[in-house]
Amino acid sequence: MASFNGYKLWAGGQPDFQYPVSGDASDYMYAAMGVASFGYEIGKAFYEDCDLFERKIAPDNIPSLMYVSRTARRPFRIAKGPDVLAFEVAEAGNANADEETGEATAMLLDVSVTASDDELLNSDFKTGRQGVEAVRLSVDVHPDDEGGAMMEMEPVGGTNNNSGRRSFELQVSTDGMAPGRHTMYSVAVDGAGYEGPVSAVFFDVPVRAAVETDQPTTSAPQTAEPTTAAPVSGAPTA
C-alpha cells in the first residue's frame, strides 16, 4: 500500500512510531475476526484545507485503497503475489468469416500484460523475490469464481522470471461471445505459487464480429473506464 502514497508504517516497534493509544476499531476487528484492518493518518492539519485534500491527499491515496479492495478476499496471501503493472487489450483483426457473405463473425484481440513481484515493494520482503512465473486470463468470469476457463499467456522473449518486470502476450478470439461489453481478467503467479491481485479491463464485441449465441449481452455500463485500477492505457494497476 505504501508504494502508492509513500506513507511509513506507524505501529509499535517501528522506528517512526510516535505514541500509543488505547485502541481503536482496527485492533478489535483483527483480534475478534482476523480482519486485515488499518487506518491512514492523512494530511498535515486537523482541519485540512478542502483544496489540498482534492488536489493532493485524495490522488495520493485512492490508488492505494483500490489496491486494498482487490486484495480483500485473501489480504494476507494475495499481497505476497506479483502485481499486474500494465494490462492492454487491442483489436487485431478478423478471426473468422461467413462462407456465404464473407463477413467477419469474430475478431482477434491482442492482449498484453506486464507484471512484477518486487516493483511495488518498499522493503526487503522475501516474498517479493520469486519472480513472475505465469499470467492467466479469463473472460466474464472472475478467477475466484467457478466455471471460468483460464487461458495461459505466453512470456515475451527477452524477459525472465527471476526479478523485475516480465511481459506476457496472447491473442484471443471473440468467437462465441455475444455482441456488447465484456470483461477480461488477469492474474499473475510467482515462482512460489502465490497469486497476486486480479486486474480487469473492458472490451467491446461489435455486432459485425459476433456469432449467433443465446448468451445475453453484458450489462456493464458503456464506459471506456476499466473495472479496476488496471487501465487499458498501460498505467500501473497496483
Side-chain angles (χ1 to χ4, degrees):
M1 298 183 301
S3 62
F4 297 95
N5 53 27
Y7 289 4
K8 296 179 180 179
L9 179 62
W10 193 44
Q14 299 298 316
D16 297 299
F17 183 69
Q18 296 184 25
Y19 56 85
V21 295
S22 58
D24 61 13
S26 298
D27 297 327
Y28 177 80
M29 284 189 288
Y30 180 75
M33 296 176 285
V35 174
S37 55
F38 61 93
Y40 278 172
E41 289 277 356
I42 62 175
K44 297 182 179 180
F46 191 81
Y47 295 104
E48 197 68 74
D49 180 74
C50 292
D51 179 68
L52 178 63
F53 177 84
E54 296 177 354
R55 175 172 45 86
K56 176 67 176 172
I57 296 175
D60 283 352
N61 287 283
I62 287 177
S64 180
L65 296 173
M66 291 292 291
Y67 176 85
V68 171
S69 71
R70 292 190 292 120
T71 64
R73 183 178 177 90
R74 296 182 297 271
F76 300 111
R77 181 177 179 86
I78 293 176
K80 297 179 180 180
D83 300 291
V84 172
L85 304 176
F87 185 8
E88 298 182 2
V89 178
E91 186 174 346
N94 296 327
N96 301 322
D98 185 272
E99 294 182 357
E100 296 182 0
T101 65
E103 295 181 355
T105 58
M107 67 180 183
L108 294 174
L109 301 173
D110 281 338
V111 184
S112 60
V113 169
T114 300
S116 174
D117 200 40
D118 60 3
E119 185 157 329
L120 298 186
L121 293 178
N122 62 348
S123 63
D124 187 24
F125 193 50
K126 66 179 181 179
T127 58
R129 297 197 298 266
Q130 281 88 27
V132 182
E133 186 70 25
V135 173
R136 296 170 185 142
L137 302 174
S138 63
V139 175
D140 291 334
V141 179
H142 193 280
D144 288 339
D145 297 331
E146 296 181 358
M150 300 299 293
M151 298 173 282
E152 200 85 11
M153 299 191 74
E154 298 290 335
V156 176
T159 63
N160 62 72
N161 64 344
N162 295 326
S163 63
R165 295 188 174 200
R166 195 180 190 198
S167 298
F168 295 78
E169 60 186 12
L170 187 68
Q171 198 163 74
V172 177
S173 172
T174 64
D175 191 21
M177 297 183 191
R181 175 142 292 187
H182 296 264
T183 306
M184 185 175 293
Y185 300 94
S186 69
V187 59
V189 185
D190 69 16
Y194 288 110
E195 293 184 352
V198 175
S199 296
V201 293
F202 285 139
F203 68 93
D204 296 305
V205 176
V207 175
R208 65 172 177 80
V211 297
E212 292 186 2
T213 174
D214 294 330
Q215 297 297 320
T217 58
T218 54
S219 58
Q222 296 300 304
T223 170
E225 293 298 319
T227 58
T228 72
V232 293
S233 62
T237 70

